[in-house]
Amino acid sequence: MADNYQYQIPPNVDREEFMRTRVFVERDQVTNTTSNDLSGTWNSFDDRWDFDAWKQQFRLVINRMSLNAVEFDLIGVHASVANTLRRILIAEVPTMAIEDVFIKNNTSVMMDEVLAHRLGLIPLRADVHKFGERGPNDAPTDLNTIVLNLKVKCERIQGTPKSMPREQRLTNHTVYSRDIIWDPQGDQATEHRDNPIQPAFDDIVITKLNQGEELDIVMHARKGIGRDHAKYSPVGTASYRIMPEIHILRPIVGDAAHKFASSFPAGVIEIVKNARGQDEAKVADARKDTVSRNVLRHSEFLDAVTLSRKRDHFIFNVETVGSVMPAPLMVQAFDVLKQKCLLLRASLDNLNLQ
Amino acid sequence: MSAMDQDIQENRISLIPIDGEHADDNTCCTFAIQNEDHTMGGILRYIIGKNPDVLFCGYNLPHPAEDVMHFRIQTNGKITAADAFRKGLDDIVEMADHMSAEFSKQAHGTNFQYVASHDL
């Protein structure tokens, strides 16, 4: 490896601003990653917390939304804020999930505890705000518990020969999540009339039965958070990446331009005709780049391009499990952050310090 | 389920006394916060560090088996450490409120693409 590689800050930008706001993506390492936001670090830049100044430059842009996922940009916040939001989405937003499984009869080949574990992982669609927490010593009430029943028996369809495949010979050969029936207690029937409680998906396979086997199970669902058990986590995953940037330092023309464009994922670099009629490489959409630094493997491009990432631009991708829709989930996540702060505030006041 | 217990007694803050040169008074102290981890520690460290009167702020989790976070704040004397902590918490609440309002505003707008199924 030639050792004359030097990371170059692009000549047409303000050097101090570039150092303050970008992460340097070099050939063999990623540098300038440490946090430099504490008040008083920079000579020419006042870094103290100012809500109004922050509010001016903060932007939240939703890119795509679907029934079970949302992709949005959080611009103008520090990495710790984005990380806290991500951790809250994964571990601290409450949902309902099956916690107690009372097995009255299970003659299937699946062991009781394995079956109970699977039932706990089924996402339930229920309005969490209407339920309270149930501590280990609390009695179950209609305000903290959902009762669900699963009663399935597999039987042979009369008159079918044994040579036929299982699916045609037996009824209820597979137990699906749609077989779980909600048993409304107390006021639950009227409270949840608009949003009946049910598993988020109908076609989750719970177990399979053979002729004569049956399941007779009562389940209690409770409110919990992902920190306690992963079954309560409302997201399949929530992740973010930091916005990549590509600066081309010198014109790249002709065949080199095509090689340059093919070193990046499709859509990142486009080829345009420049003033002299040659093919020239231009940055089309840096957002599509996966920052594999593939281009820096080629020695002819080491001095032609500067890769960086913008420190305060986060591209969030949140995929829900089905129990909560993505838009209410995000609102809940911000609310959980606020509630945690208010709780700490109350605890601090309890300390009675000056 | 103590992680979720809303009772204030559970989510308690106490003080860890530190001897030596930087003896504790009301401008330097270490708070021991139960039931919290990097989720709150990271954002608190950032916001309280942005306070120009705070000379030092940092956090650590002494042991993974204990659900406790130690958060230390040292100020320059103009404000007390507890005040810096309170201001930090208020700042986070203000920021969370604004982000939530902005998200709701965007979600009810039409600037984005609604897709049937989301291929990541």
Side-chain angles (χ1 to χ4, degrees), chain A residues 96-115:
Chain A
M96 305 294 291
I98 292 169
E99 171 90 357
D100 300 311
V101 176
F102 305 99
I103 301 184
K104 295 198 264 190
N105 194 4
N106 171 21
T107 45
S108 75
V109 294
M110 185 174 276
M111 288 188 288
D112 287 351
E113 53 267 29
V114 176
L115 180 59

Side-chain angles (χ1 to χ4, degrees), chain A residues 54-61 73-76 313, chain B residues 102:
Chain A
W54 173 79
K55 200 164 77 161
Q56 285 296 321
Q57 51 92 54
F58 169 73
R59 285 173 58 223
L60 196 157
V61 183
D73 283 18
L74 211 57
I75 306 169
H313 187 146
Chain B
E102 193 63 30

Side-chain angles (χ1 to χ4, degrees), chain A residues 137-187:
Chain A
N137 298 324
D138 290 348
T141 71
D142 60 339
L143 289 173
N144 61 21
T145 307
I146 299 174
V147 177
L148 302 152
N149 290 316
L150 179 59
K151 202 173 157 75
V152 178
K153 182 163 177 145
C154 175
E155 268 151 349
R156 169 120 159 250
I157 300 175
Q158 290 293 334
T160 50
K162 273 211 169 143
S163 53
M164 280 184 92
R166 300 179 62 239
E167 292 78 21
Q168 294 162 15
R169 195 171 20 104
L170 306 169
T171 59
N172 297 330
H173 50 85
T174 308
V175 179
Y176 291 100
S177 53
R178 57 171 160 264
D179 298 324
I180 294 179
I181 312 289
W182 171 42
D183 182 12
Q185 306 285 315
D187 286 333

Side-chain angles (χ1 to χ4, degrees), chain A residues 108-301:
Chain A
S108 75
V109 294
M110 185 174 276
M111 288 188 288
D112 287 351
E113 53 267 29
V114 176
L115 180 59
H117 178 247
R118 288 177 70 82
L119 290 169
L121 292 172
I122 295 170
L124 298 176
R125 191 177 302 148
D127 190 357
V128 198
H129 297 293
K130 297 209 167 114
F131 289 94
E133 290 103 53
R134 182 178 152 195
N137 298 324
D138 290 348
T141 71
D142 60 339
L143 289 173
N144 61 21
T145 307
I146 299 174
V147 177
L148 302 152
N149 290 316
L150 179 59
K151 202 173 157 75
V152 178
K153 182 163 177 145
C154 175
E155 268 151 349
R156 169 120 159 250
I157 300 175
Q158 290 293 334
T160 50
K162 273 211 169 143
S163 53
M164 280 184 92
R166 300 179 62 239
E167 292 78 21
Q168 294 162 15
R169 195 171 20 104
L170 306 169
T171 59
N172 297 330
H173 50 85
T174 308
V175 179
Y176 291 100
S177 53
R178 57 171 160 264
D179 298 324
I180 294 179
I181 312 289
W182 171 42
D183 182 12
Q185 306 285 315
D187 286 333
Q188 283 176 356
T190 45
E191 275 288 316
H192 299 267
R193 193 176 357 161
D194 301 325
N195 285 320
I197 295 172
Q198 55 183 299
F201 299 99
D202 275 341
D203 52 355
I204 301 173
V205 173
I206 299 176
T207 187
K208 298 193 180 184
L209 302 173
N210 208 342
Q211 182 183 347
E213 292 173 3
E214 67 177 297
L215 293 179
D216 189 1
I217 302 177
V218 177
M219 297 160 276
H220 286 190
R222 269 194 236 196
K223 188 170 167 177
I225 54 174
R227 226 167 149 223
D228 191 20
H229 192 291
K231 70 187 177 194
Y232 294 114
S233 182
V235 293
T237 195
S239 63
Y240 61 79
R241 58 192 182 100
I242 306 182
M243 180 72 167
E245 262 189 337
I246 304 166
H247 305 267
I248 298 181
L249 302 174
R250 61 165 171 79
I252 305 174
V253 292
D255 285 338
H258 288 279
K259 186 175 178 189
F260 188 75
S262 64
S263 322
F264 286 93
V268 176
I269 302 285
E270 64 181 352
I271 306 285
V272 295
K273 284 261 187 269
N274 67 2
R276 268 172 284 173
Q278 301 165 297
D279 287 339
E280 188 168 340
K282 287 264 181 282
V283 178
D285 190 4
R287 193 193 170 95
K288 295 201 173 91
D289 190 18
T290 51
V291 199
S292 61
R293 294 179 279 170
N294 191 27
V295 66
L296 298 176
R297 278 175 49 226
H298 306 296
S299 48
E300 66 261 34
F301 295 133

Side-chain angles (χ1 to χ4, degrees), chain A residues 1-53:
Chain A
M1 288 274 215
D3 220 1
N4 51 4
Y5 171 72
Q6 176 84 35
Y7 187 77
Q8 291 162 277
I9 295 180
N12 52 338
V13 302
D14 177 4
R15 281 187 78 85
E16 189 178 301
E17 201 214 332
F18 195 85
M19 286 177 65
R20 181 170 49 83
T21 58
R22 305 293 199 268
V23 168
F24 302 162
V25 179
E26 303 186 17
R27 181 188 61 187
D28 308 313
Q29 53 184 343
V30 178
T31 52
N32 202 32
T33 54
T34 53
S35 173
N36 52 18
D37 281 61
L38 296 186
S39 175
T41 315
W42 298 95
N43 241 340
S44 58
F45 189 79
D46 188 1
D47 240 339
R48 69 182 62 200
W49 177 249
D50 183 351
F51 176 65
D52 295 307

